[in-house]
Amino acid sequence: MSFAATVLTLSPGMFPGPLSESLAGRALAAGRWTLEARDLRGYAADRGGRVDDTPFGGGAGMVMRPDVVDAALADCADGRPSIYLTPRGRLLNQARVRALAAGPGVVLLCGRYEGVDQRVIEARGLEEVSIGDYVLAGGEPAAIVLLDACVRLLPGVMGAAESAEEESFSDGLLEYPHYTRPAVWQGREVPGVLLSGHHAAIAAWRRAAAERATRERRPDLRPSPVASAPAAP
Ligand code: 9D3
């Protein structure tokens, strides 16, 4: 039984989209996962029926109707977690991606307009997930991001080398910088230690570079211990 993704969206034509051109696309063709994009308009009460309406209390924009979203979710309810992609959600992280990839799949609800009526979020116990603090035009690119992150972790999708690297990401550091030939390019030299052949020195340089990048760019990630800090009692 492979990882099953169902996407509920007003733009089913956005899927598989860029996923078909990547590693995930080859895995899809190989049957390691399945993807079904369903048009939410198909769940409107009547032909050409509304999927959205004006917000109670007033204000700009439209809200997706709870009855339409509920009918769509009921139609694919089979025990997979149901996730609503929304800027109000909890931030997606690698721990959640790992847990989702280890499960049977996901049902992803993509919002449009101002969002989905709160009552169906509660009634269906939807998990609300955001992919970052910036504003997209809709939830579809976020669904593509979530699926890309999950699919690369499925068994047989990536080689053993990359799988080992996945483990090392959990050390909470950004990666060290990478270099290849030529050794001098536009007057810029590759750090000498990388050409030295001294594997211990290379490993130490990379560790220090990773810690420095993390400290400078992502101080919110696990802080690297300071050499001069006294040991905890
Ligand atoms: C003016 C209020 N807007 C909230 C910032 C409304 C709004 C803007 C954009 C509501 C939805 C959207 C579309 N975005 C998503 O559906 C979305 C999203 C995002 O915009 N950023 C990060 N993660 C996500 S997940 C879904």
Side-chain angles (χ1 to χ4, degrees):
M1 233 198 38
S2 66
F3 186 88
T6 300
V7 182
L8 303 173
T9 169
L10 291 169
S11 304
M14 287 177 75
F15 297 87
L19 288 172
S20 68
E21 294 287 321
S22 69
L23 185 89
R26 262 179 290 145
L28 189 58
R32 298 193 187 280
W33 67 296
T34 61
L35 173 62
E36 183 189 20
R38 292 200 184 185
D39 193 342
L40 280 164
R41 287 186 202 286
Y43 296 95
D46 44 276
R47 285 267 153 260
R50 304 191 65 90
V51 297
D52 63 326
D53 213 326
T54 55
F56 283 125
M62 302 294 273
V63 177
M64 290 174 70
R65 290 174 53 111
D67 53 347
V68 175
V69 171
D70 184 63
L73 288 166
D75 200 32
C76 38
D78 61 0
R80 286 174 291 165
S82 296
I83 295 177
Y84 170 38
L85 296 154
T86 166
R88 296 190 66 225
R90 288 213 172 84
L91 199 58
L92 184 65
N93 60 26
Q94 192 64 15
R96 188 68 189 117
V97 166
R98 245 181 250 123
L100 290 172
V106 284
V107 176
L108 301 177
L109 172 63
C110 299
R112 272 293 170 87
Y113 318 118
E114 292 310 298
V116 171
D117 187 298
Q118 181 63 26
R119 294 166 296 177
V120 70
I121 296 173
E122 293 168 11
R124 286 275 167 194
L126 300 184
E127 175 183 350
E128 296 179 78
V129 168
S130 163
I131 63 161
D133 296 335
Y134 38 80
V135 182
L136 302 172
E140 288 81 5
I144 288 167
V145 165
L146 185 151
L147 291 174
D148 184 272
C150 287
V151 168
R152 63 180 288 280
L153 299 183
L154 299 178
V157 171
M158 274 197 145
E162 290 92 340
S163 304
E165 241 180 272
E166 157 70 16
E167 299 306 313
S168 82
F169 178 77
S170 44
D171 69 4
L173 291 176
L174 298 182
E175 268 200 12
Y176 54 79
H178 302 278
Y179 299 88
T180 187
R181 280 177 283 279
V184 183
W185 174 75
Q186 294 189 352
R188 296 168 184 267
E189 294 181 4
V190 169
V193 65
L194 300 180
L195 312 175
S196 70
H198 291 112
H199 300 300
I202 291 168
W205 182 90
R206 285 177 168 170
R207 178 78 192 182
E211 285 175 358
R212 178 189 158 117
T214 307
R215 193 181 342 106
E216 290 180 351
R217 301 173 179 191
R218 295 296 305 278
D220 56 306
L221 296 181
R222 188 175 69 80
S224 41
V226 176
S228 62

